[in-house]
Amino acid sequence: MADIRVAVAGAGGRMGAANIRAIAATPGLKLAAAFDRPGSPAIGKDAAALAGLDAAGVLITDDIDAALALADAVIDFTAPAASVALAEKAAAGGLIHIVGTTGCSAADEAAIRAAGGKGARIVKAGNFSLGLNILASLVKEAAAKLAEWDIEIVEMHHNRKLDAPSGTALMLGEAAADGRNVSLEEHAVRGRDGITGPRAAGTIGFASLRGGTVIGEHKVIVAGPSERLELGHVAEDRSLFANGAMKALLWAAGQPAGFYTMNDVLGLN
Ligand code: NAD
């Protein structure tokens, strides 16, 4: 079977570079195109060389349509508006679209999901790591079995991160809410300041720390009377997310058009 031709969106970014390295290391995948937003300093550079590999002759362009015309799949860790626009294009072109972008609004999520019904094969995840997705199922179980205990989610990321709480923290919050059969939106407390009063029972709290070069750390604290359970995950290298994205891409190649998550890829549903 011919290699799957992959376009990398946000090729000048941190995850873009990690994805380019992972494509080079994954049999069955081939870097076909790389693009970034108009005005990015990465435009015109060799994508592989920028990612620390030998130059491969794929120059980073800002012509998204030209890049997608060369590809069967697009890997997209960029920004919410870019991911929504790419989902539409993936639907029109019948492409595989792997979406790692976080910070999407409910309307963005709905638009990306809808593209799965219009011809794209989309896998979207707030976190592509195996360990983190297993953590989410443990959190769901703990939340269900310790139904009266307080749940707090603490995350730390590098000082360039744009959104808070992290997509992964929200994914863990969804898992906790799922375990309790409640809506996260109605139970989330996103940060506290000032005279907040006692903690409301049944809420799911979030705290976001930012600093240095931390790739991603998450801790879910389930606190009861005189004891607490702490479940956590530490990402040590971005290759973790990129390798998960490759796994999702290869899995999606065998699926019909639709919207999928990492639970589908890992068989955790
Ligand atoms: P980054 O800022 O280093 O890279 C983002 C890149 O996207 C930049 O090069 C930027 O120019 C480019 N971009 C922005 N708008 C674009 C557009 N319209 N078209 C093409 N390119 C565009 O950020 P990063 O650390 O690589 O993270 C990117 C996203 O991935 C963030 O939302 C982050 O939270 C998320 N992320 C997800 C996971 C996961 O497992 N799901 C893991 C790590 C990071």
Side-chain angles (χ1 to χ4, degrees), residues 9-16 35-37 40 64 77-79 82 100-102 125-128 158 161 163 238 241:
R14 285 172 287 256
M15 278 306 302
F35 59 96
D36 210 298
R37 66 181 161 75
S40 158
I64 297 181
F77 287 63
T78 58
T101 304
T102 62
N127 195 301
F128 276 92
H158 55 88
K161 185 161 179 63
D163 53 317
R238 283 188 179 82
F241 308 125

Side-chain angles (χ1 to χ4, degrees), residues 132 135 154-155 157 166 168-169 172 216-220 231-233:
L132 208 297
L135 174 62
V154 185
E155 53 105 343
H157 282 84
S166 70
T168 302
L172 293 169
E217 299 195 8
H218 293 84
K219 193 196 280 184
V220 179
L231 301 165
H233 181 266

Side-chain angles (χ1 to χ4, degrees), residues 68-214:
L68 294 183
L70 299 171
D72 308 304
V74 55
I75 301 204
D76 164 21
F77 287 63
T78 58
S83 295
V84 170
L86 272 173
E88 290 289 331
K89 290 179 187 290
L95 302 179
I96 297 168
H97 184 196
I98 306 300
V99 190
T101 304
T102 62
C104 291
S105 67
D108 296 334
E109 292 284 350
I112 294 170
R113 189 175 277 271
K118 295 190 232 155
R121 279 169 280 174
I122 298 186
V123 181
K124 183 172 187 299
N127 195 301
F128 276 92
S129 101
L130 171 62
L132 208 297
N133 283 276
I134 300 288
L135 174 62
S137 41
L138 295 174
V139 167
K140 181 175 172 181
E141 185 182 349
K145 293 200 167 137
L146 304 169
E148 306 301 320
W149 291 22
D150 299 328
I151 299 181
E152 294 284 311
I153 300 174
V154 185
E155 53 105 343
M156 180 158 187
H157 282 84
H158 55 88
N159 57 21
R160 312 304 300 265
K161 185 161 179 63
L162 300 179
D163 53 317
S166 70
T168 302
L170 291 170
M171 177 179 146
L172 293 169
E174 287 288 359
D178 241 29
R180 289 187 173 171
N181 276 320
V182 298
S183 123
L184 179 63
E185 211 176 319
E186 286 167 16
H187 290 77
V189 175
R190 294 167 73 140
R192 299 184 181 90
D193 187 25
I195 313 294
T196 58
R199 189 182 195 285
T203 51
I204 297 171
F206 291 87
S208 298
L209 317 183
R210 294 287 175 266
T213 54
V214 177

